Amino acid sequence: MRLQVFLLSLCLLLTTGLRAQDAPSPPLSTPMGQVLRVATREGVSVPIYAYWQNDAVATVVLYSGGGGGYGRMGDDGWPAGGNFLIRTGKDWARHRFNVVMVGRASDGIDLSLGYVRTADPHAADNLAIFQAIRRRSGQPIWVVGTSMGTISAAAAAIRDREDLVAGVVLTSSILAYKVPGAVPTQKLEAIRVPTLVVHHAHDACWACPPADAKRLADALRNAPIKKVMLLDGGAGASGDPCEPLHHHGYVGMQEEAVDAIAEWILQPAP
């Protein structure tokens, strides 16, 4: 009887070992960041999605368009918002960057209104976020905005009194003067860090004419290095031309757009 039990146990052990050996290895988990809450103003906090890398050479702080924020979390542990800067989160992480996506303040300030992005409450939120980032990493902070987020990025650099912002990237900038807070209406001469202006040559959004993007460089007269980069390409543009699935959001060429921006951040040149 004991012999039978031993033989049965041995058989089960060998079978289990063979199955484990033959089974494919589980896929590696996708690297992911974490959601942190930064206390900004009295009684107010702002969530940020932060992905840190040990070998990072810079931190990119991403400001989405519309009403701001990064949307819901996806199954892979990354924000699943459709905005250009949000849906390309992992593309930014392929480079040697810490990646920080700015969420919506707990008091519900409406970032779809351009003037709110240039006002004191948003400025206080940005300062607190930059300070929190600096406590975590000493790498240079680059603010990157798209669409309405360019209003935030420009304003953050203009109002930076602690020299926390090392550079600025404005993609699909809001250029129409009728939009309160539009990038050309701000005091761009106060920006004294390298600045890259990125636009799609076929951006059809009424507030973002490509021809006007070329003129931003003239207004950035105190930026030590500045460049206007007009991109062309992509396929599958659809829907509202001011939404992210059109050329306004670099649809069909988003990885190429991120790579071009990343290369410039690493080596800014006119």
Side-chain angles (χ1 to χ4, degrees), residues 44-106:
V44 177
S45 64
V46 177
I48 61 172
Y49 180 87
Y51 175 80
W52 309 105
Q53 304 202 64
N54 292 332
D55 63 344
V57 296
T59 298
V60 290
V61 181
L62 309 181
Y63 290 93
S64 63
Y70 47 74
R72 64 178 180 83
M73 299 300 296
D75 294 337
D76 60 355
W78 282 80
N83 183 268
F84 163 59
L85 292 181
I86 305 306
R87 72 174 188 268
T88 56
K90 285 182 282 188
D91 295 320
W92 291 97
R94 285 192 292 103
H95 299 276
R96 294 172 62 191
F97 298 146
N98 299 316
V99 180
V100 174
M101 300 179 187
V102 180
R104 295 179 178 174
S106 60

Side-chain angles (χ1 to χ4, degrees), residues 8 18 28-29 34 66 137 143 169 178 185 213 232 266:
L8 179 59
L18 287 172
L28 295 174
S29 59
Q34 58 187 153
S137 171
V143 291
V169 179
K178 66 185 296 183
T185 70
D232 195 350
L266 294 173

Side-chain angles (χ1 to χ4, degrees), residues 41-261:
R41 294 167 277 130
E42 184 176 358
V44 177
S45 64
V46 177
I48 61 172
Y49 180 87
Y51 175 80
W52 309 105
Q53 304 202 64
N54 292 332
D55 63 344
V57 296
T59 298
V60 290
V61 181
L62 309 181
Y63 290 93
S64 63
Y70 47 74
R72 64 178 180 83
M73 299 300 296
D75 294 337
D76 60 355
W78 282 80
N83 183 268
F84 163 59
L85 292 181
I86 305 306
R87 72 174 188 268
T88 56
K90 285 182 282 188
D91 295 320
W92 291 97
R94 285 192 292 103
H95 299 276
R96 294 172 62 191
F97 298 146
N98 299 316
V99 180
V100 174
M101 300 179 187
V102 180
R104 295 179 178 174
S106 60
D107 65 345
I109 58 173
D110 188 359
L111 296 182
S112 65
L113 303 173
Y115 67 86
V116 175
R117 290 180 180 264
T118 63
D120 290 345
H122 191 48
D125 292 344
N126 291 334
L127 175 60
I129 289 169
F130 299 156
Q131 290 172 335
I133 292 171
R134 182 54 57 84
R135 287 193 293 271
R136 176 61 173 78
S137 171
Q139 299 301 332
I141 295 172
W142 281 71
V143 291
V144 184
T146 198
S147 194
M148 291 293 285
T150 58
I151 298 177
S152 292
I158 290 168
R159 301 187 62 159
D160 179 24
R161 299 292 181 266
E162 298 187 9
D163 295 329
L164 296 173
V165 175
V168 182
V169 179
L170 307 173
T171 74
S172 304
S173 298
I174 298 296
L175 301 167
Y177 279 73
K178 66 185 296 183
V179 179
V183 175
T185 70
Q186 298 189 48
K187 297 179 180 179
L188 299 182
E189 67 274 11
I191 296 179
R192 299 178 181 275
V193 293
T195 303
L196 175 65
V197 176
V198 182
H199 223 81
H200 197 291
H202 301 291
D203 191 329
C205 180
W206 67 270
C208 310
D212 289 353
K214 298 176 183 178
R215 290 193 279 271
L216 277 184
D218 295 333
L220 292 162
R221 57 178 177 268
N222 291 317
I225 304 173
K226 55 192 175 181
K227 183 179 179 66
V228 176
M229 183 185 294
L230 281 181
L231 301 179
D232 195 350
S238 63
D240 189 331
C242 292
E243 293 297 323
L245 295 183
H246 213 280
H247 295 307
H248 185 66
Y250 308 94
V251 68
M253 62 171 302
Q254 57 204 34
E255 292 183 21
E256 179 183 344
V258 171
D259 289 347
I261 295 169

